[in-house]
Amino acid sequence: MAVRALPLLFLNLGGEMLYILDQRLRAQSIPGEKARKEEHPVLQQTQGLFVFAVMNDIITTMFNKKFMEELFKPQELYSKKALRTVYDRLAHASIMRLNQASMDKLYDLMTMAFKYQVLLCPRPKDILLVTFNHLDTIKDFIHDAPGILNQVDETFRQLIETYGALSAGEFQLIRQTLLVFFQDMHIRVSIFLKDKVQNSNGRFVLPISGPVPWGTEVPGLIRMFNQNGDEVKRTEFTTAGNYVTPRREGSFDLYGDRVLKLGTNMYSVSRPVETHMSGSSKNSASRAKENIAPNPLAKEELNFLARLLGGLEVKKPGGSEMGFRLNLFTTDEEEEHAALTRPEELSYQVVNIEATQEPGRRAELSRILGELEVAEPRPESGGKGEDLLALMDGL
């Protein structure tokens, strides 16, 4: 498994999350009285400023310097549930709130969009261009906030420094690691279904036409060489697809034309984004139960997750200010129905626990986390700092 895949997974899924939230915030009517916020008093005037403020809060948290430093350390991917916990925390880094069904739908849309982009990448290295497309669009969300722009630009530089010198083989390993992560996810998304790029069973339809990877030739010609390396014969053959040579390679610089369109905002034009569980997925989900055997790597995974989340500060509404609830469904009734009909195995419940040293509290946390083993507090930490339970407080 590639130890450099996690930053690409996090940033691309985060970019998709921001695309969806921006679209839904603008589509959902926001009354003025719900838009009050101390840090942004002018939000009472326009909905656009409210959207800008919410997006700013989330992007600021997402590109927190300490968080990025931990993220870019070489490490393996961790479980889907652990990753989902990070995005739940991230989505609630402003006064916006999503309930369980909307958060599930948001995560489904994020994962299926990025899975499709990874599948369509002409060459493994182009995953980096997909990431740059996400960051370019994120910068458009915050073009009037120079402080946050600097945070995103710093992440750009880290990406260039970390991935710029990787070989084609290393990028191939990263791509395979990402595909393994997504391989059991087959959620149907209306956008993909309407564009006929996804079948009714949730599996994607890959094109057999279009541009070939940069640096390669259009298929249709076989060359034969002798032992001296001289070409001695050519044979042409007919291909089923209509292939073209790309006009130029996408730019891997801080600023430039990425050429590749994967990773750009597909919600820039208002479109429905319903998700559906396919029949086969429902059946397999009801049969596939979580493995109850203890995972020996789970403790280390939680410790790392706790370190990451240590840099995420969730903003809680203060005083009489109420958090704004965002609904990713058309109506509240649809949201409630989705929550009731979603297979239990596909729900990612996030629990709030007040972490203390009491054995009862520790046992409760251990029970909720299932097979994940909770580390005992270190005597020298005094139950703070490196103590896993203290770090997990507030999740």
Side-chain angles (χ1 to χ4, degrees), residues 341-389:
T341 58
R342 185 177 179 86
E344 184 179 351
E345 291 81 5
L346 294 177
S347 293
Y348 306 88
Q349 187 172 9
V350 179
V351 230
N352 292 312
I353 301 175
E354 180 183 354
T356 70
Q357 300 298 320
E358 299 174 13
R361 292 286 188 180
R362 293 177 56 76
E364 176 68 6
L365 178 59
S366 181
R367 182 189 67 78
I368 292 172
L369 294 178
E371 75 275 11
L372 302 183
E373 298 176 355
V374 180
E376 290 292 324
R378 300 180 182 179
E380 64 272 18
S381 69
K384 297 180 180 179
E386 295 179 351
D387 183 1
L388 177 62
L389 293 181

Side-chain angles (χ1 to χ4, degrees), residues 37-94:
K37 192 175 185 185
E38 282 185 15
E39 295 87 347
H40 308 282
V42 293
L43 294 185
Q44 300 172 41
Q45 300 175 12
T46 65
Q47 175 179 340
L49 285 176
F50 175 83
V51 175
F52 179 75
V54 170
M55 297 292 283
N56 274 15
D57 289 338
I58 296 175
I59 295 170
T60 300
T61 304
M62 179 176 171
F63 291 92
N64 175 277
K65 183 178 179 181
K66 182 179 178 181
F67 184 91
M68 285 293 119
E69 288 174 355
E70 289 289 344
L71 188 72
F72 274 83
K73 292 178 180 178
Q75 71 227 255
E76 294 185 353
L77 296 184
Y78 43 89
S79 70
K80 296 178 179 66
K81 286 188 176 181
L83 189 68
R84 161 61 197 266
T85 303
V86 175
Y87 287 108
D88 189 281
R89 185 76 176 267
L90 188 60
H92 294 91
S94 69

